[in-house]
Amino acid sequence: MSIKQTSVIGFPRIGKNRELKFASEKFFKGEISEAELKKIAAEIRLYGWKKQREANISFIPSNDFSFYDNVLDTAFLFNVVPERYSSLELSTLEKYFAAAHGYQGEKGDVKALPMKKWFNTNYHYIVPEIDDNTELKLVGKKPVEEFIETKLAGIESIPTVIGPYTFLRLARYNGKKRAKDFAAAAVNAYAELADQLATAGAKWISFAEPALVFDITDAEKQLFKSIYEFLIEQIRAKTSIKIALQTYFGDIRDVYQDVVALGFDGIGLDFVEGLQSLELLKKGFPNDTLLFAGVVNGKNIWRADYAQKNALLAEIEKFVAAENVVVSTSCSLLHVPYTVAAEQKLSADILKHFAFAEEKLTELAEFASGDADALEKNKALFASARVQANAKVQAELAALSAADFERKPSRLERRSVQKEEFKLPSFPTTTIGSFPQTAEVRANRAVFRKGEITREQYVAFNQKKIAECIKLQEEIGLDVIVHGEFERNDMVEYFGSKIDGFVFTQNAWVQSYGTRCVKPPVVWGDVSRSAPITVEWSVFAQSCTKKPVKGMLTGPVTILNWSFPREDISLKTQAQQIGLAIRDEVLDLEKNGIRIIQIDEAALREKLPLRKSDWHKEYLDWAIPAFRLVHAKVKPETQIHTHMCYSEFNDIVRDIDNMDADVITFEASRSDLKLLDALNEAKFETQVGPGVYDIHSPRGPSEQEIVDALHKIIAKVPQQNVWVNPDCGLKTRGETETTASLKNLVAAAKKLREEK
């Protein structure tokens, strides 16, 4: 077996110890300078490049780093910056952060750009905003500067940039113009970038076009073809730089034959999530083109089965010359943690099954070299069963029937019962769940975790915080109260830690958006609940007030989607196992007098297949029932809420309605409440609370701003169905800004009541 070349699409960038997160937050507070922040960023980039060089990666990417988001980087690179940000008297980097998370200060007051899920991942991207007068042109230097950085470090890199088709397809258009109207300008701008990179010494440029894995219409196909026919022509006319097209998160069945005919020097295909990628090769592949074969899973943390991967490579080489196959990751390693070496508490028997980013570099090297010893060790790893099935869980799954997924009576009948039960005013006010997690709150959890205080001390502290939180909400005037979640770290990690079947890491952090990092649990074996999880806290909170306190849970689909799932059983089976565990918790809360229970499904859309034809059979047909399983057995007077955030819900609104919740709150503020049209069109039955202000921004909303948002809402949604709430939990916000914002929220709701 000849030694193959290797490639990585992208590398983690938050820092091995989250250095970028902490430095950025200090910069936002004015505690470090812009120069200091940039120095830390440069050190993070160099670390990743050196690790890839040590693993002898042939194609090391540059420009995969970002201070916040690569799509936002691309917008600033090509002058796609709305005037409200560009006109701020701030540095370019400060304007960039203003677009990312808003700005409120002496230089102005601007909301952030919308934020959405990045394809089918838990990463979020900033949505570019294009007006009719936007002049799309090259104005930035980031790809060139970072390529030069690699040269100075003695590393040959391949600059990568979000491609023009994907960038234009993901953008939001505010005027009459659409993507096709900006295509010519995009071609010129990208060609100029390629020219500058070639002048700097780059041998390759890689255009990332993940949007090619979507369903593509004839018009979209024509747009893609026209962009690249002219772009390739322009680049080839001026430079000798080689051009790669990189795709990931699926296959490109709708445009494959167009792609291979365009004359790229390299084409990247995903053979992990690309269900038809291997079949597409049978239609032909250019003899003079490199295939960047994405065979190492860039999204999950399990060791690769070398025998299985080598068999896949052998199939690929039936259609592509072996010397033209570059062994690659299926997508950027942004979606996995840095290294297993950072884990000190998990046993070696567990860790040997994990491959994080740095370990995946080793896997690439071992595939490429055909290392016989590595193959034998890998065979031994996969020779025995990793876990034993839980017989009790298996029996519960087998016993499920249609009745376990159907709540009775109907939602409209329940609404009448609940109206009498709660006697809430019109436009009832609430929050999504968490309240600010101060340093004091985090310290209490930390010292308890380390065994430095007793459980009694830990509980007493949290009860004091809960009582204070309840009192604050009563003073503000909220109608439905939450307990604040001071006992919780992450909404998924917390529940995973309380039910059997999960394992947890110390330092396996991944970036969710900007400075927000999460440490996903790992679904290790069959999942079950052995004891109540939240009942103690909810019961105490309810004892502090006569107002209803929501029991706060995370739903089965979100727990699964925000964990690293098993690969040996189906996602449907895992979701049902988690659903049974959370159902036990729901019924215990109800039994203990909690009359409103919120079961968050923030990540419902996250694993939705990228092709509409697969939506139901591959996902929604089990994801929606998994949620219904959790609440189907509660009493009519128990009100079930759920919450969803930072996704495009318009096209699955009817499926969301079929979740049969009583109230659903949505993130909607960053998307300017565009969800309302879809709710109206679908005649949405569920009571709904579209978020009236953005909690991921430090800026606070005025009372009039919320009143205006509510007027938009009741223009599209029957006002008797409307709840008033922020767009997400308040954990990351400060106490002062939270109180001020919620006071304005309550005042706005009261004003709407007076208008009736």
Side-chain angles (χ1 to χ4, degrees):
M1 178 179 175
S2 60
I3 296 178
K4 298 184 185 302
Q5 295 187 93
T6 53
S7 170
V8 171
I9 294 174
F11 199 74
R13 65 205 185 200
I14 58 174
K16 189 176 177 182
N17 297 303
R18 292 182 289 161
E19 294 92 337
L20 184 63
K21 167 187 171 63
F22 299 126
S24 297
E25 289 172 350
K26 287 181 179 179
F27 175 68
F28 300 156
K29 296 174 184 176
E31 295 174 3
I32 64 171
S33 67
E34 187 170 311
E36 290 173 295
L37 176 60
K38 288 181 175 179
K39 179 177 181 294
I40 291 167
E43 291 168 352
I44 292 169
R45 290 193 293 269
L46 184 60
Y47 176 89
W49 291 330
K50 284 184 173 179
K51 281 294 178 183
Q52 292 171 81
R53 182 177 62 183
E54 290 168 8
N56 295 315
I57 300 300
S58 312
F59 293 89
I60 297 174
S62 58
N63 196 47
D64 55 329
F65 173 85
S66 178
F67 279 106
Y68 205 96
D69 168 56
N70 288 122
V71 180
L72 183 62
D73 294 345
T74 309
F76 270 72
L77 178 67
F78 293 119
N79 197 46
V80 183
V81 182
E83 193 271 339
R84 62 184 180 276
Y85 306 115
S86 61
S87 63
L88 292 171
E89 293 183 6
L90 300 170
S91 71
T92 300
L93 185 59
E94 288 170 328
K95 292 176 183 177
Y96 171 90
F97 283 127
H101 59 66
Y103 175 85
Q104 192 172 44
E106 59 183 23
K107 301 294 177 64
D109 185 353
V110 291
K111 294 182 181 179
L113 286 168
M115 183 162 63
K116 292 182 180 178
K117 294 286 185 183
W118 179 243
F119 292 79
N120 55 359
T121 74
N122 185 31
Y123 177 74
H124 305 66
Y125 74 96
I126 301 296
V127 181
E129 187 177 291
I130 300 181
D131 299 313
D132 285 351
N133 61 356
T134 297
E135 187 180 0
L136 199 158
K137 61 182 180 180
L138 181 65
V139 295
K141 296 286 185 182
K142 181 178 181 291
V144 177
E145 290 171 348
E146 292 184 15
F147 170 75
I148 292 171
E149 273 187 61
T150 64
K151 283 185 66 178
L152 293 173
I155 296 168
E156 183 72 40
S157 72
I158 173 170
T160 182
V161 64
I162 300 294
Y165 174 77
T166 293
F167 181 74
L168 292 175
R169 177 153 182 184
L170 296 182
R172 170 181 168 181
Y173 297 88
N174 290 334
K176 295 181 179 179
K177 292 182 179 179
R178 291 296 179 263
K180 62 183 176 59
D181 300 304
F182 295 92
V187 167
N188 292 333
Y190 276 83
E192 185 179 351
L193 174 62
D195 188 27
Q196 290 186 9
L197 286 166
T199 301
K203 296 177 182 176
W204 283 84
I205 182 170
S206 178
F207 297 115
E209 291 288 7
L212 294 179
V213 307
F214 286 133
D215 293 312
I216 294 179
T217 65
D218 289 342
E220 290 164 344
K221 181 189 293 190
Q222 187 54 46
L223 174 64
F224 165 73
K225 287 173 61 179
S226 65
I227 285 173
Y228 276 97
E229 284 169 352
F230 289 110
L231 180 55
I232 292 172
E233 180 182 344
Q234 281 203 34
I235 293 173
R236 295 257 161 84
K238 291 185 177 181
T239 77
S240 59
I241 196 170
K242 292 184 177 180
I243 307 167
L245 181 84
Q246 182 65 62
T247 67
Y248 39 86
F249 300 142
D251 62 64
I252 59 169
R253 68 190 75 164
D254 293 343
V255 293
Y256 177 79
Q257 290 181 305
D258 301 291
V259 166
V260 296
L262 279 167
F264 290 103
D265 299 291
I267 297 171
L269 301 179
D270 181 352
F271 290 89
V272 174
E273 293 187 278
L275 300 180
Q276 294 189 22
S277 291
L278 186 60
E279 195 67 23
L280 291 173
L281 290 182
K282 297 178 182 179
K283 297 181 178 181
F285 192 83
N287 293 328
D288 56 352
T289 301
L290 294 183
L291 171 65
F292 294 89
V295 298
V296 172
N297 192 336
K299 286 170 65 175
N300 212 342
I301 48 81
W302 301 100
R303 285 277 181 188
D305 183 334
Y306 286 9
Q308 183 185 78
K309 299 299 182 182
N310 284 328
L312 174 58
L313 286 170
E315 287 297 309
I316 290 170
E317 289 173 6
K318 290 179 180 178
F319 311 103
V320 182
E323 62 271 18
N324 287 345
V325 175
V326 180
V327 183
S328 182
T329 56
S330 65
C331 62
S332 172
L333 297 179
L334 166 72
H335 308 292
V336 294
Y338 267 81
T339 176
V340 174
E343 302 304 318
Q344 304 299 319
K345 293 186 177 179
L346 288 174
S347 71
D349 283 342
I350 290 175
L351 292 176
K352 68 183 181 182
H353 293 280
F354 295 164
F356 298 170
E358 292 180 21
E359 289 72 35
K360 290 181 188 293
L361 299 180
T362 301
E363 290 186 331
L364 286 169
E366 290 175 349
F367 287 149
S369 65
D371 188 319
D373 288 341
L375 178 59
E376 288 305 310
K377 289 179 182 178
N378 188 264
K379 280 182 179 178
L381 180 68
F382 282 86
S384 58
R386 184 177 54 77
V387 293
Q388 289 186 336
N390 183 316
K392 182 174 181 292
V393 172
Q394 298 297 321
E396 287 181 336
L397 287 177
L400 289 174
S401 68
D404 290 295
F405 300 90
E406 184 178 357
R407 187 178 177 194
K408 292 182 179 179
S410 72
R411 180 165 42 212
L412 293 180
E413 290 176 277
R414 299 194 308 261
R415 185 173 300 174
S416 297
V417 174
Q418 292 164 12
K419 184 176 181 180
E420 182 62 27
E421 174 77 9
F422 297 110
K423 296 181 171 60
L424 294 171
S426 57
F427 303 105
T429 56
T430 189
T431 68
I432 303 306
S434 59
F435 262 63
Q437 298 273 303
T438 62
E440 183 187 24
V441 169
R442 294 193 298 272
N444 182 58
R445 287 201 303 266
V447 293
F448 177 61
R449 189 172 60 249
K450 295 173 184 175
E452 296 174 6
I453 60 173
T454 65
R455 188 177 193 282
E456 289 73 19
Q457 290 172 306
Y458 171 74
V459 169
F461 174 90
N462 281 337
Q463 287 184 344
K464 178 175 178 290
K465 295 298 295 184
I466 290 170
E468 291 171 352
C469 186
I470 296 289
K471 182 180 178 182
L472 173 65
Q473 292 172 81
E474 288 187 319
E475 290 172 350
I476 290 171
L478 289 165
D479 299 304
V480 175
I481 308 294
V482 298
H483 80 281
E485 303 181 14
F486 302 110
E487 79 283 5
R488 306 182 192 184
N489 43 15
D490 174 79
M491 64 182 288
V492 170
E493 184 176 1
Y494 177 76
F495 284 93
S497 68
K498 303 294 183 182
I499 52 183
D500 299 328
F502 286 83
V503 297
F504 297 86
T505 61
Q506 287 171 274
N507 297 299
W509 296 97
V510 293
Q511 185 180 24
S512 178
Y513 63 85
T515 61
R516 169 70 170 157
C517 301
V518 294
K519 191 154 55 70
V522 179
V523 187
W524 178 261
D526 286 345
V527 175
S528 62
R529 191 198 75 145
S530 55
I533 303 168
T534 66
V535 174
E536 172 187 15
W537 306 112
S538 294
V539 168
F540 174 79
Q542 187 61 75
S543 73
C544 297
T545 180
K546 293 182 179 179
K547 289 187 174 184
V549 175
K550 288 193 285 189
M552 300 299 304
L553 307 175
T554 304
V557 180
T558 293
I559 290 176
L560 179 61
N561 285 349
W562 284 357
S563 299
F564 290 118
R566 293 169 65 175
E567 294 182 338
D568 58 324
I569 63 173
S570 71
L571 293 175
K572 174 183 177 180
T573 297
Q574 293 174 75
Q576 288 187 347
Q577 289 182 1
I578 300 168
L580 287 170
I582 301 301
R583 183 177 75 175
D584 290 345
E585 186 71 13
V586 167
L587 295 176
D588 270 350
L589 284 169
E590 183 183 63
K591 185 170 63 177
N592 282 276
I594 305 304
R595 299 178 297 157
I596 298 180
I597 303 171
Q598 182 168 309
I599 308 161
D600 286 340
E601 284 293 13
L604 177 75
R605 191 193 166 101
E606 193 157 299
K607 292 294 186 291
L608 190 73
L610 299 177
R611 294 183 177 277
K612 290 186 178 181
S613 58
D614 296 332
W615 281 6
H616 283 88
K617 66 180 180 181
E618 297 293 335
Y619 183 68
L620 291 172
D621 286 351
W622 61 259
I624 301 299
F627 179 84
R628 293 172 67 113
L629 173 65
V630 171
H631 71 84
K633 292 187 177 296
V634 300
K635 300 172 184 176
E637 58 267 32
T638 298
Q639 191 173 76
I640 297 296
H641 291 223
T642 189
H643 172 70
M644 299 176 188
C645 57
Y646 292 113
S647 285
E648 298 172 76
F649 298 115
N650 299 26
D651 44 12
I652 59 167
V653 158
R654 287 182 173 85
D655 297 288
I656 293 170
D657 214 15
N658 287 336
M659 293 168 72
D660 201 25
D662 298 303
V663 181
I664 295 183
T665 53
F666 290 98
E667 181 282 319
S669 60
R670 277 201 175 197
S671 57
D672 198 27
L673 298 170
K674 291 187 179 296
L675 174 68
L676 300 175
D677 290 327
L679 297 176
N680 186 31
E681 183 181 338
K683 296 181 173 55
F684 200 71
E685 283 190 1
T686 313
Q687 294 178 70
V688 61
V692 292
Y693 77 91
D694 175 22
I695 68 86
H696 292 84
S697 170
R699 69 175 299 279
S702 66
E703 178 185 328
Q704 188 58 47
E705 187 178 313
I706 298 174
V707 168
D708 292 343
L710 288 171
H711 283 148
K712 287 184 180 180
I713 292 170
I714 62 175
K716 300 289 176 66
V717 178
Q719 64 182 41
Q720 66 269 23
N721 289 357
V722 174
W723 284 62
V724 184
N725 46 263
D727 67 2
C728 206
L730 300 165
K731 179 171 68 173
T732 61
R733 300 272 51 91
E735 291 179 308
T736 301
E737 66 186 84
T738 292
T739 300
S741 297
L742 291 179
K743 284 181 177 178
N744 287 343
L745 180 147
V746 170
K750 288 180 177 177
K751 185 167 287 188
L752 265 288
R753 292 169 194 159
E754 293 168 1
E755 292 177 2
K756 287 181 60 179

